[in-house]
Structure formats: C-alpha cells, structure tokens
Amino acid sequence: MGQLNDRVAIVTGGARGIGRHYALGLAAEGAGVAVGDTADSTATVDEIVKQHGPKSCIGIELDVSEEASVQAFVARVIKAFGRIDILVNNAALCAVLHPIPTMDLEVDVWDRVMAVNARGPFLMTKHVVPHMKERGYGKIINISTGMTQRGVPGMLHYVASKGAVLSMTRCLSREMGQYGIRVNTLAPGLTLSDTVLAMQPEFVETVRIPNRKARAIQRDELPEDLVGTLIFLASAASDFITGQTIFVDGGSV
Ligand SMILES: NC(=O)c1ccc[n+]([C@@H]2O[C@H](COP(=O)([O-])OP(=O)(O)OC[C@H]3O[C@@H](n4cnc5c(N)ncnc54)[C@H](O)[C@@H]3O)[C@@H](O)[C@H]2O)c1
C-alpha cells in the first residue's frame, strides 16, 4: 500500500532536476502525477509510466509565470485525473542563474526571477485551491531554499524570490486552514541536481566544500535526500502540520 494511493499530485518543474525526483517519489507512493514544465517532460513521464502504468503520469507544457498557461494546465489535470490533492511548487529559475553583483543586476532579470519564482507559486495556488477546497483537503508544498536564512552574495534576486515563497507559506496556511488545505515549505540546501551540475559547474566547485563544512552531516546533498520529507508533507502523516518550513540540508541552517 502506498502512502498516496488515490491521490493526485502536481509537480511544477518536474521534467528534470530535483522536480523529477519528487515526481518519481510521489508516483512510487501511489499518487497519479501531473508534471508541468517549460522543458520537455517526456523522459520523466515515460520513466513513471513504465514503472507504474499508463494512467500514473502525464506531462503538460506549463509556464507558471503566465496565468493563462496555469489555467489551461489545471483544466487539463482535472480532465485527466478528476481531482488535485497535492501541489508541489517546485518550478523556478535556479540552475540557470549565475551569481551577479547587485550593482549589475538588470531590472528585467530581477522581474523575470520574481515572475517565475514568486508569481508562479501564487498563480498555481490560486487556480489549484478551488479544486482542493471542493474536497475539503489539500497539501501545498512550496520549495524555498536555505539561502533565505544565510543570504548569499550575488544571488539577491533568487534569495528574495525564495524569501517570498517562505512568507507566502505562512500567509496561505492561515487563509487555507479553514478549507483543510495544509501549506508548508521544504527548503533544501545546495543540492547536486543534474541541472545544477550541468549548468553551474564552476559555481558548484566554489561552494561545494564550504557547504559541506557548514553541515552537521558533512557530505554533499543529493535530490534523493529531499524525497522522504516531500512525501511526509504530502501524506496524511503530516495532516496537523501547516505554515511550517522544514530545512532539509544536513543541519546547515
Ligand atoms: N539545486 C539546489 O541547490 C537547490 C537548493 C535549494 C532550493 N532549490 C530549489 O529546488 C527547485 C528545483 O531545483 P533544481 O536544482 O532542480 O533547479 P532547476 O533550475 O533545474 O529546476 C527548475 C525546473 O523548473 C522548470 N522551470 C523553469 N521555469 C519555469 C516556468 N516558467 N514554468 C514551469 N517550469 C519552469 C525548469 O525547466 C526546471 O525543470 C527550485 O525551486 C530551486 O529553487 C534548489
């Protein structure tokens, strides 16, 4: 028996990187999974369908920063699965971002990061909540980062956007409790996702050792380290927990 049998989960940004691991983990616990991404999600969907059957997963193109795209995505998920129980707000501009001094940070880059990383989770929540409310139950898991607690030079746009995510969790949990919707944040530390390794090799090499040393458990963090906490926050085991942030970073924060 999976912990999420008969549940339906959305994973934004689930085509690759850490999101792919969330999608695989949710499907392994029995949830039907809808992957939404600007990137092609065929490989993730095929992997899940191969393991769990043709009805276990769908992939739909999604730009979380565009309300029309979010609305169309949610409508297609409802058409395919008939319900939504779990929303993982994972899509973000993360691996593509290079550290940049604040004095050189262009307004359009700031705006784009905010549009995807902060407006995205807001829009997803706005359009998914009515379906959760209908059933009187739901789990929203917002993905932030430990960087919000420490601050990191050159990452003002990213850290500010993820601070917004953390605050949205607190605010939404107060508003959504009456509908049985739980809202929590999962905040990873530096995680060696395939995308971060491929797109930021120099950055990773610079920060990898200091990050390890800052942890109580002094090793690299991998996407697999995050899946157990995600499943916990998605499952009935955490039904009396809302408005919280769990730092999964080997004891760094
Ligand atoms: N890797 C890390 O060190 C780390 C640490 C802390 C938090 N995080 C967070 O974890 C999540 C996943 O990180 P990752 O390492 O896999 O990074 P990533 O950049 O590879 O993943 C983001 C995913 O979102 C998708 N995406 C980007 N813009 C989108 C949009 N407008 N609409 C829909 N999808 C979009 C990307 O295509 C990608 O699949 C992000 O929210 C990130 O901020 C990552």
Side-chain angles (χ1 to χ4, degrees):
M1 258 306 258
Q3 294 181 65
L4 302 173
N5 280 353
D6 302 324
R7 299 285 189 209
V8 172
I10 288 172
V11 182
T12 68
R16 53 192 180 170
I18 302 171
R20 178 179 148 265
H21 290 265
Y22 293 151
L24 291 170
L26 290 161
E29 287 298 334
V33 178
V35 173
D37 206 306
T38 44
D40 182 11
S41 57
T42 309
T44 304
V45 174
D46 286 352
E47 202 176 345
I48 291 173
V49 164
K50 204 171 157 195
Q51 287 178 44
H52 304 289
K55 293 191 173 160
S56 59
C57 187
I58 56 169
I60 303 165
E61 200 182 327
L62 166 70
D63 181 344
V64 294
S65 69
E66 295 291 333
E67 188 157 26
S69 175
V70 170
Q71 281 176 294
F73 173 84
V74 171
R76 284 190 59 189
V77 176
I78 290 295
K79 196 169 176 208
F81 288 109
R83 57 192 281 169
I84 300 167
D85 306 283
I86 300 156
L87 167 62
V88 185
N89 277 318
N90 167 78
L93 295 177
C94 170
V96 293
L97 296 179
H98 294 273
I100 181 161
T102 299
M103 295 81 75
D104 301 329
L105 183 56
E106 300 289 349
V107 167
D108 61 344
V109 176
W110 170 275
D111 285 349
R112 185 65 197 145
V113 170
M114 287 297 164
V116 176
N117 296 10
R119 189 204 295 163
F122 149 62
L123 287 176
M124 289 302 301
T125 301
K126 176 179 171 184
H127 292 286
V128 164
V129 156
H131 300 284
M132 294 178 164
K133 198 177 152 192
E134 219 171 71
R135 296 179 164 272
Y137 186 82
K139 299 280 200 169
I140 298 176
I141 301 148
N142 293 323
I143 306 300
S144 183
T145 167
M147 281 189 189
T148 54
Q149 309 304 296
R150 276 189 305 272
V152 175
M155 296 300 284
L156 186 74
H157 45 349
Y158 178 73
V159 175
S161 71
K162 290 293 182 175
V165 167
L166 216 145
S167 300
M168 281 196 276
T169 289
R170 289 207 187 97
C171 189
L172 281 167
S173 66
R174 297 271 177 207
E175 187 178 340
M176 300 300 167
Q178 61 187 314
Y179 310 127
I181 301 170
R182 287 79 168 165
V183 190
N184 291 291
T185 303
L186 192 170
L190 174 72
T191 305
L192 303 186
S193 61
D194 53 355
T195 41
V196 164
L197 285 171
M199 294 182 204
Q200 302 288 351
E202 283 167 28
F203 178 70
V204 169
E205 274 327 298
T206 315
V207 297
R208 188 173 185 167
I209 303 293
N211 265 273
R212 263 195 234 159
K213 284 192 174 151
R215 292 180 175 139
I217 300 165
Q218 296 192 340
R219 65 159 172 82
D220 288 331
E221 178 162 358
L222 302 173
E224 291 84 345
D225 291 315
L226 300 162
V227 176
T229 305
L230 181 92
I231 300 299
F232 170 65
L233 290 175
S235 76
S238 60
D239 271 356
F240 205 51
I241 299 177
T242 192
Q244 304 304 305
T245 296
I246 304 186
F247 294 94
V248 182
D249 62 0
S252 181
V253 169

